[in-house]
């Protein structure tokens, strides 16, 4: 059985088993599926094609008996000549005195090592008597931990394959193997460990990429289905006429993308299923407007709505804009940590008695003593800033409320499919017309004076500016000092009628709010800030954004910051001050100056930094694939998603050809009871 302890494999004793455990290998199956992390390919090429200092493989005839010499302590050097393509090449082997006995004059030999083109010399680290078996030799390289030697690991994997190969059962229906031209599971396992050539290796890899993605997507789709089925009887019968009137009261018409997203949301609300939807859209794309309409729909169905945001400043801004939109159509209230005492008690009472229709707030919204009369619609803005638990608490404040998540961080489709596979996704991928593009420049630090004078001119025209200093860790004293220094520098530079403000995470909330309000009211003209203003702040009169040490931010984050300007009628500017070291850093700055599409930037970020870095390693919650790579194998992921959808929709798992796959999901996917 494949789930036998790994010690049942020939050659695995207690000691080795302990080491294997540190690599998460406990069973025979774990060992068989511990695939190489990469491969070295040695290809025999003619001498004149070899590149100096490359790792190369050559084949030739030994011309003399190897000479062995010792030096230092226990160090040896073995030297012999080899004839390759009628040229004499010198082979040098260090600390392998034993090889003297193996290698004889006249032997045919294959050598792998570092090539010195000037001396026609190879420093050998791998040799094999005889001719190379094929044109290219592929060496699997395993990631290993602790004391284990790679040779030893290879040997026990070999033993495991010999003994257990027939027990590796096929999971995929034959029709899929034929359709996608994939090798069988057992063959693919063997090939990954012992690749014959590049072609078979490629197909074996392709097979597991697909298998891993399909299983992953099946899990997501099944979750999504159960999620829906569990919540029947939750249709919100909103009033389309009132809704139309409300939409017509807006000073603008919705963009096509807004309308499409709105219709998707309304369809969810009307349906008996509970909505679990993510609304994605760039800053300023009009998510709030869509959310407001959905909230209003819920009100006309006789329910209450809630909007939870991560910061007080953002809550206040949402409160202002929504109060204005709703005017006397709804009772809107703000509930944040600064609402206390009697005022708070009053509000809580009104929420519970349904005198309040819509509550906008921070974490204060999910405190134990907040009770809704009938919460039907909950919105969570900047959803990635909240934990799973906090989202659940808000949801549980109602009886199966529809939940809409919003994010202004454009998430590449690749990641959205995986991270939010159990959510439906709506995307607003166009900005309202007439928006001016933010002109973006990349500057060096020595241009700072010029930048300051540029800002000075904008201020004379009555505009405002942000100057951002990166703050990587909230506790990073040095970074705060940078912001403070910059603040003083600007105070000195500008005449005293220009007010400079300073905002950073160490300030009290009330202090932050005071400064932010002063900036909103143009009492402060230049706001020096760490990244605390990143989320959602709206000051249309601010037209310039300077970002210091821009190379320390991700592209998506830079784009978020840049979204703080360009919110009004006037032309806006973003100046990135950066001295990136490597080519990737330079490339990133260039992309920022050329691209204003958040989704494209997110894709680029993903390509340049990888998925782990995209959200930050910890909160990414990305699945760990053994073979597949979400960025690189993106197209296979799409295919697997479509197939999984079809399988779940048509209940194919009950088909005999899916028996093994279903069994696998039952035993390894924690879906035991539900899949019966
Ligand atoms: P987001 O929440 O996606 O950042 P908002 O909903 O706050 O975007 O919209 C940004 C600004 O654009 C607001 O001032 C809003 O009134 C305005 N707006 C929203 N939708 C439209 C539209 N279709 N046409 C013109 N202006 C719009
Ligand atoms: Mg918004």
């Amino acid at each position: 059985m494949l789930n036998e302890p790994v010690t049942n494999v020939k050659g695995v004793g207690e000691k080795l088993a302990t080491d294997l455990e540190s690599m998460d290998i406990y069973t025979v199956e774990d060992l068989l599926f511990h695939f190489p992390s990469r491969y070295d390919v040695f290809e025999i090429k003619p001498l004149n094609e070899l590149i100096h200092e490359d790792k190369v493989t050559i084949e030739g005839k030994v011309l003399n008996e190897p000479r062995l010499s010792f030096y230092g302590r226990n160090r040896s050097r073995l030297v012999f000549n080899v004839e390759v393509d009628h040229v004499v090449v010198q082979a040098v082997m260090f600390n392998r005195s034993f090889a003297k006995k193996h290698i004889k004059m006249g032997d045919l030999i294959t050598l792998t090592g570092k090539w010195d083109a000037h001396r026609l010399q190879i420093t050998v680290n791998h040799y094999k008597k005889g001719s190379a078996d094929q044109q290219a030799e592929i060496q699997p390289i395993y990631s290993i931990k602790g004391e284990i030697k790679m040779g030893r690991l290879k040997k026990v994997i070999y033993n495991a394959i010999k003994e257990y190969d027939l027990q590796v059962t096929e999971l995929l229906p034959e029709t899929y193997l034929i359709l996608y031209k994939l090798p069988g599971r057992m063959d693919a396992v063997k090939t990954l460990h012992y690749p014959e050539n590049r072609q078979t290796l490629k197909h074996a890899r392709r097979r597991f990429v697909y298998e891993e993605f399909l299983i992953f997507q099946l899990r997501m789709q099944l979750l999504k289905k159960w999620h829906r089925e569990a919540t029947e009887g939750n249709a919100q019968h909103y009033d389309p006429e009132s809704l139309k009137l409300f939409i017509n009261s807006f000073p603008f018409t919705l963009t096509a993308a807004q309308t499409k997203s709105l219709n998707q949301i309304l369809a969810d609300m009307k349906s008996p299923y509970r909505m679990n939807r993510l609304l994605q859209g760039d800053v300023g794309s009009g998510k709030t407007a869509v959310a407001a309409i959905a909230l209003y729909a819920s009100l006309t169905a006789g329910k209450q709505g809630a909007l939870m945001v991560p910061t007080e400043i953002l809550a206040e801004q949402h409160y202002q804009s929504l109060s204005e939109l709703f005017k006397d159509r709804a009772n809107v209230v703000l509930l944040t940590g600064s609402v206390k005492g009697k005022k708070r008690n009053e509000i809580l009472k009104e929420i519970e008695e349904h005198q309040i229709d819509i509550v906008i707030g921070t974490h204060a919204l999910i405190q134990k003593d907040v009770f809704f009369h009938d919460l039907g619609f909950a919105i969570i803005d900047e959803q990635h800033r909240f934990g799973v638990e906090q989202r659940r608490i808000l949801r549980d404040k109602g009886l199966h409320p529809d939940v809409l998540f919003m994010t202004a961080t454009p998430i590449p489709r690749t990641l959205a499919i995986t991270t939010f596979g159990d959510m439906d996704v709506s995307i607003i991928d166009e900005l309202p017309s007439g928006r001016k593009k933010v002109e973006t420049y990349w500057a060096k630090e020595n241009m700072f004076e010029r930048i300051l004078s540029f800002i000075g001119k904008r201020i004379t025209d009555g505009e405002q500016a942000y100057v951002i200093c990166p703050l990587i860790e909230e506790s990073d004293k040095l970074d705060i000092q940078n912001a403070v220094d910059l603040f003083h520098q600007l105070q000195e530079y500008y005449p005293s009628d220009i007010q400079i403000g300073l905002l950073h995470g160490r300030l009290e909330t009330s202090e932050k709010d005071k400064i932010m309000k002063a900036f909103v009211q143009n009492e402060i003209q230049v706001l020096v800030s760490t990244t605390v203003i990143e989320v959602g702040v709206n000051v249309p009169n601010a037209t310039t954004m300077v970002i210091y040490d821009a190379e320390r931010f991700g592209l998506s984050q830079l784009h978020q910051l840049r979204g703080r300007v360009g919110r009004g009628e006037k032309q806006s500017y973003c100046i990135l001050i950066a001295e990136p070291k490597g080519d990737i850093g330079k490339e990133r700055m260039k992309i920022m100056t050329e691209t204003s599409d958040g989704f494209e930037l997110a894709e680029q970020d993903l390509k340049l930094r990888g998925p782990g870095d995209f959200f930050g390693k910890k909160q990414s919650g990305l699945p760990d694939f053994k073979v597949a790579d979400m960025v690189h194998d993106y197209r296979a992921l799409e295919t697997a998603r479509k197939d999984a959808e079809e399988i779940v929709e048509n209940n194919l798992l009950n088909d005999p050809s899916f028996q093994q796959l279903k069994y696998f999901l039952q035993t390894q996917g924690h879906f035991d009871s539900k899949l019966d």
Side-chain angles (χ1 to χ4, degrees):
M1 297 276 282
L2 290 183
N3 59 9
E4 287 170 27
V6 70
T7 42
N8 286 10
V9 174
K10 201 172 135 215
V12 182
E14 287 303 326
K15 170 78 184 63
L16 184 61
T18 323
D19 284 343
L20 288 174
E21 236 169 68
S22 72
M23 290 158 57
D24 283 329
I25 297 173
Y26 303 93
T27 65
V28 177
E29 184 165 12
D30 295 338
L31 183 63
L32 282 176
F33 285 82
H34 183 75
F35 295 134
S37 54
R38 64 184 177 87
Y39 299 87
D40 275 348
V41 181
F42 304 117
E43 201 170 358
I44 297 177
K45 289 184 188 154
L47 279 190
N48 57 14
E49 281 181 26
L50 300 183
I51 294 167
H52 182 58
E53 305 226 296
D54 255 12
K55 199 170 177 186
V56 303
T57 300
I58 55 176
E59 184 189 300
K61 203 164 105 184
V62 180
L63 292 177
N64 57 355
E65 292 299 333
R67 288 186 310 274
L68 181 65
S69 53
F70 289 90
Y71 63 102
R73 238 223 227 174
N74 299 327
R75 290 178 182 263
S76 71
R77 203 172 109 103
L78 192 69
V79 181
F80 55 96
N81 290 335
V82 182
E83 187 205 311
V84 184
D85 308 336
H86 308 294
V87 175
V88 178
V89 168
Q90 188 177 58
V92 185
M93 243 189 251
F94 288 100
N95 306 322
R96 278 197 256 173
S97 48
F98 58 87
K100 182 172 165 54
K101 273 188 251 147
H102 294 164
I103 300 170
K104 298 281 168 225
M105 192 166 102
D107 281 349
L108 195 61
I109 197 164
T110 306
L111 304 168
T112 298
K114 193 167 151 188
W115 179 240
D116 185 329
H118 309 312
R119 301 157 93 170
L120 294 181
Q121 188 185 65
I122 182 168
T123 306
V124 178
N125 25 50
H126 183 80
Y127 77 93
K128 201 174 97 183
K129 291 241 288 205
S131 166
D133 296 333
Q134 62 254 337
Q135 269 320 97
E137 182 164 324
I138 304 173
Q139 283 276 346
I141 308 291
Y142 294 85
S143 67
I144 37 181
K145 275 194 194 148
E147 306 268 280
I148 303 177
K149 292 264 188 315
M150 186 132 50
R152 184 83 191 281
L153 181 67
K154 282 184 185 177
K155 199 165 281 167
V156 294
I157 288 176
Y158 179 80
N159 292 342
I161 289 178
K162 233 171 60 183
E163 231 171 301
Y164 292 89
D165 66 345
L166 293 178
Q167 295 182 34
V168 177
T169 45
E170 184 56 68
L171 293 183
L172 302 176
E174 209 181 327
T175 46
Y176 281 46
L177 297 184
I178 295 169
L179 179 65
Y180 298 127
K181 300 194 175 61
L182 300 174
R185 200 159 190 254
M186 183 175 88
D187 283 342
V189 168
K190 282 188 197 165
T191 303
L192 286 184
H193 290 297
Y194 293 95
E196 285 153 26
N197 56 51
R198 278 189 240 217
Q199 207 54 21
T200 51
L201 177 59
K202 191 176 126 196
H203 291 306
R205 202 186 158 271
R206 223 163 44 80
R207 186 229 140 81
F208 278 109
V209 169
Y210 179 75
E211 179 184 311
E212 284 185 323
F213 281 157
L214 185 71
I215 286 166
F216 171 65
Q217 284 300 316
L218 277 172
R219 284 181 183 157
M220 288 291 187
Q221 299 292 336
L222 287 169
L223 269 178
K224 195 158 147 183
K225 187 178 162 196
W226 292 324
H227 198 99
R228 291 185 144 230
E229 280 174 357
T231 55
E232 297 252 8
N234 180 43
Q236 298 207 43
H237 302 288
Y238 62 85
D239 173 16
E241 287 310 311
S242 312
L243 210 56
K244 228 176 257 162
L245 286 176
F246 180 51
I247 295 171
N248 287 340
S249 77
F250 286 12
F252 48 76
T253 46
L254 297 180
T255 62
Q258 278 174 312
T259 306
K260 189 175 163 200
S261 297
L262 178 64
N263 286 337
Q264 288 169 339
I265 292 166
L266 291 176
D268 280 355
M269 292 175 74
K270 221 176 350 188
S271 82
Y273 304 117
R274 182 168 78 187
M275 175 167 77
N276 197 44
R277 183 174 287 278
L278 177 72
L279 178 62
Q280 272 201 69
D282 226 332
V283 273
S285 62
K287 293 182 299 297
T288 311
V290 171
I293 299 167
L295 274 172
Y296 189 64
S298 193
L299 295 202
T300 68
K303 310 254 183 187
Q304 288 171 293
L307 168 59
M308 183 162 74
V309 300
T311 66
E312 297 222 351
I313 294 177
L314 197 54
E316 266 174 46
Q317 290 208 333
H318 271 307
Y319 174 69
Q320 273 160 17
S321 58
L322 288 182
S323 304
E324 209 172 83
L325 275 178
F326 287 119
K327 288 193 194 87
D328 31 59
R329 282 188 165 84
N331 278 329
V332 186
V333 76
L334 181 67
L335 185 60
T336 61
S338 13
V339 180
K340 290 184 183 121
K342 217 173 128 207
K343 179 95 193 287
R344 181 168 184 273
N345 288 336
E346 244 167 60
I347 290 178
L348 292 191
K349 188 160 163 272
E350 286 175 359
I351 295 174
E352 195 170 354
E353 292 174 354
H354 202 163
Q355 279 146 293
I356 304 273
D357 303 305
I358 295 169
V359 189
I360 295 165
T362 53
H363 297 85
L365 236 158
I366 51 172
Q367 300 311 306
K368 272 207 193 80
D369 54 354
V370 181
F371 297 100
F372 286 82
H373 177 76
D374 186 3
L375 178 65
F377 193 77
I379 302 175
I380 300 176
D381 195 14
E382 297 301 328
Q383 52 90 25
H384 57 280
R385 304 248 168 164
F386 293 99
V388 175
E389 185 58 14
Q390 291 167 319
R391 300 182 209 171
R392 191 190 58 73
I393 296 174
L394 179 61
R395 207 166 49 212
D396 287 350
K397 296 260 175 215
L399 193 69
H400 308 313
D402 285 319
V403 182
L404 181 69
F405 301 93
M406 297 204 293
T407 180
T409 311
I411 298 158
R413 275 190 63 73
T414 332
L415 278 192
I417 287 177
T418 50
T419 324
F420 310 117
D422 62 335
M423 280 189 210
D424 295 300
V425 180
S426 293
I427 298 179
I428 306 183
D429 54 4
E430 82 185 293
L431 294 181
S433 59
R435 290 272 169 81
K436 286 209 179 73
K437 214 175 123 180
V438 178
E439 277 182 33
T440 304
Y441 302 98
W442 167 23
K444 300 277 166 69
E445 205 157 332
N446 59 17
M447 292 159 81
F448 197 54
E449 289 264 336
R450 272 171 64 191
I451 294 166
L452 291 187
S453 110
F454 177 81
I455 295 175
K457 275 188 215 124
R458 303 261 82 74
I459 293 171
T460 318
D461 286 348
E463 298 164 26
Q464 292 164 277
Y466 296 99
V467 179
I468 307 293
C469 274
L471 180 71
I472 303 303
E473 298 272 331
E474 201 64 30
S475 60
D476 203 339
K477 273 199 200 123
L478 207 69
D479 284 331
I480 290 180
Q481 193 51 47
N482 281 342
V484 173
D485 289 347
L486 196 60
F487 169 69
H488 290 310
Q489 217 179 320
L490 296 192
Q491 272 185 327
E492 244 164 67
Y493 179 90
Y494 289 113
S496 57
D497 59 329
I498 293 180
Q499 291 301 313
I500 319 288
L502 173 64
L503 202 63
H504 60 73
R506 286 282 184 87
L507 299 174
E508 294 282 328
T509 310
S510 59
E511 183 68 11
K512 276 191 234 171
D513 284 357
K514 218 176 89 195
I515 294 167
M516 206 55 225
K517 272 178 199 145
F519 189 62
V520 170
Q521 282 154 14
N522 199 2
E523 284 156 17
I524 286 174
Q525 284 75 46
V526 182
L527 184 63
V528 176
S529 170
T530 58
T531 46
V532 286
I533 57 139
E534 190 188 336
V535 180
V537 180
N538 192 20
V539 184
N541 192 48
T543 54
T544 307
M545 156 98 23
V546 177
I547 304 174
Y548 233 82
D549 293 335
E551 74 272 14
R552 287 173 68 180
F553 294 101
L555 292 182
S556 295
Q557 215 182 354
L558 287 174
H559 182 64
Q560 289 271 299
L561 287 168
R562 180 168 63 181
R564 300 304 115 215
V565 296
R567 309 201 126 218
E569 307 283 298
K570 294 179 190 142
Q571 178 60 53
S572 288
Y573 305 88
C574 175
I575 299 162
L576 308 168
I577 303 179
E579 321 251 347
K581 301 251 152 49
D583 286 344
I584 290 184
K586 286 176 187 149
E587 178 67 24
R588 291 174 61 229
M589 289 306 118
K590 224 177 117 238
I591 292 170
M592 274 309 293
T593 62
E594 290 165 359
T595 312
S596 57
D597 178 336
F599 282 96
E600 194 186 325
L601 286 171
E603 290 285 355
Q604 297 280 4
D605 225 2
L606 186 60
K607 270 193 208 126
L608 295 175
R609 305 203 302 170
D613 270 4
F614 192 82
F615 291 115
K617 287 227 165 12
K618 249 195 216 129
Q619 56 170 333
S620 72
L622 299 175
D624 243 348
F625 297 112
K626 280 186 204 289
V627 180
D629 175 310
M630 277 188 317
V631 180
H632 185 260
D633 303 313
Y634 163 63
R635 282 175 55 200
L637 181 57
E638 285 266 83
T639 308
R641 184 181 59 94
K642 285 199 198 96
D643 290 344
E645 261 170 16
E646 191 191 308
I647 291 169
V648 171
E649 225 160 82
N650 300 329
N651 260 323
L652 294 182
L653 283 176
N654 289 327
D655 194 274
S657 65
F658 283 85
Q659 194 187 352
Q660 289 300 334
L661 192 55
K662 180 173 167 183
Y663 180 72
F664 184 87
L665 286 167
Q666 278 172 328
T667 49
Q668 315 229 355
H670 318 291
F671 291 152
D672 33 347
S673 60
K674 282 180 168 158
L675 264 179
D676 286 343

